[in-house]
Amino acid sequence: MLHYCQRYFLKRFLLAITLAMVLTGCVASRSEVQGKFTSPVTKNTTADKVSVFFQFKNLRQQHGMDTVPKLQVHNVKDFDNLFRDSLQELGNVSQYTTFLESPNDVNNPKRRKELEEHRANHDYTVEVSLLEESSFRKDFLSGTVSLLSLTLIPMPYSWDYTMTANVMKKGGAQVASYQRKATLSNWVQAALIFAYPFYPLEGKREEIYSECLHDIFKQIEAERVLK
């Protein structure tokens, strides 16, 4: 009888944990982008058309767990559409090619050769890297409290984003460098499930990516870097 009660209690406890995790809601918010370009912008429509190679690199580092930033795939849905929309800020790009670095490129001679060929065959290369940083200690604490309280206690998670863009002429000479920063925060609690549709984490992350790309390209255009 005691053994049966123990199994019954364990099943109920596991069911409660499962329901709490499934029904957990969250509310995301983001900071303003730091380092934004505020000067007036005039389109560079009279300049000679140029070809541009856009090299993208997504990096993630969880401090306390990762020794160095690590390459990852895009964690934003429809990134190509975000990029295509931000490209409208540049007025004299005749043709362009995009390339997303992969962690497996280090063991792929064909991909490395393709990268070098693109850099050599375009007038300019724009290296865009996005670094996502978080704290393992803080995430572990928040996750533990959420689990033990069955997500009844609201707990925060946060990520710091740094987008860096280096512009280089054919041949490798760097002509400009830009950087933007923003923070994404997310509060997790069971009761927030009804608020999630209004403050989705994915949407706030997309906003950061899009705003940073638009603003960097806007400054490149204003400073007539691609000429």
Side-chain angles (χ1 to χ4, degrees):
M1 183 65 178
L2 180 61
H3 182 62
Y4 173 78
C5 290
Q6 288 175 335
R7 285 192 301 169
Y8 180 80
F9 174 78
L10 179 59
K11 288 181 179 179
R12 290 292 182 177
F13 180 69
L14 292 176
L15 178 61
I17 290 179
T18 301
L19 287 175
M21 299 306 292
V22 170
L23 297 177
T24 295
C26 57
V27 169
S29 62
R30 44 155 295 202
S31 70
E32 294 292 327
V33 172
Q34 300 177 27
K36 289 190 68 174
F37 184 69
T38 58
S39 300
V41 178
T42 304
K43 281 286 186 178
N44 195 14
T45 54
T46 59
D48 294 336
K49 299 294 184 180
V50 296
S51 61
V52 183
F53 173 50
F54 294 93
Q55 179 182 346
F56 293 101
K57 180 188 300 185
N58 263 33
L59 300 166
R60 174 183 293 168
Q61 184 172 16
Q62 190 174 45
H63 295 282
M65 181 64 71
D66 299 322
T67 305
V68 297
K70 297 177 180 177
L71 274 172
Q72 62 170 352
V73 297
H74 278 310
N75 58 353
V76 170
K77 182 177 63 177
D78 295 331
F79 178 81
D80 290 343
N81 287 326
L82 296 182
F83 167 70
R84 188 180 298 110
D85 184 64
S86 64
L87 195 62
Q88 299 177 40
E89 303 290 352
L90 302 174
N92 66 319
V93 176
S94 60
Q95 59 178 331
Y96 68 89
T97 304
T98 61
F99 184 97
L100 174 61
E101 289 192 47
S102 165
N104 298 322
D105 289 348
V106 66
N107 298 315
N108 191 329
K110 183 178 180 181
R111 285 269 294 176
R112 297 201 304 272
K113 181 179 179 181
E114 180 185 350
L115 175 62
E116 293 305 317
E117 287 177 348
H118 284 317
R119 294 170 71 98
N121 294 332
H122 290 76
D123 298 317
Y124 289 90
T125 294
V126 180
E127 291 182 345
V128 180
S129 67
L130 185 77
L131 172 62
E132 177 189 88
E133 298 176 273
S134 61
S135 168
F136 173 76
R137 179 179 60 84
K138 292 180 180 179
D139 290 348
F140 181 81
L141 176 61
S142 294
T144 301
V145 173
S146 291
L147 180 62
L148 294 179
S149 69
L150 300 182
T151 70
L152 293 177
I153 299 176
M155 294 303 298
Y157 296 82
S158 66
W159 301 266
D160 294 322
Y161 291 95
T162 302
M163 182 177 285
T164 303
N166 297 317
V167 184
M168 289 158 291
K169 286 184 175 181
K170 182 186 295 187
Q174 183 169 306
V175 293
S177 183
Y178 307 93
Q179 191 172 88
R180 304 291 187 269
K181 293 178 178 288
T183 298
L184 177 63
S185 300
N186 196 42
W187 283 87
V188 176
Q189 186 194 27
L192 296 176
I193 188 171
F194 300 106
Y196 172 74
F198 304 99
Y199 305 95
L201 177 67
E202 298 83 357
K204 296 299 181 182
R205 185 184 286 120
E206 279 196 16
E207 286 181 11
I208 291 175
Y209 274 59
S210 179
E211 188 172 336
C212 287
L213 276 176
H214 270 277
D215 196 63
I216 288 175
F217 288 172
K218 187 182 298 182
Q219 187 170 359
I220 290 175
E221 180 76 1
E223 295 177 349
R224 303 295 191 258
V225 175
L226 306 177
K227 59 183 179 180

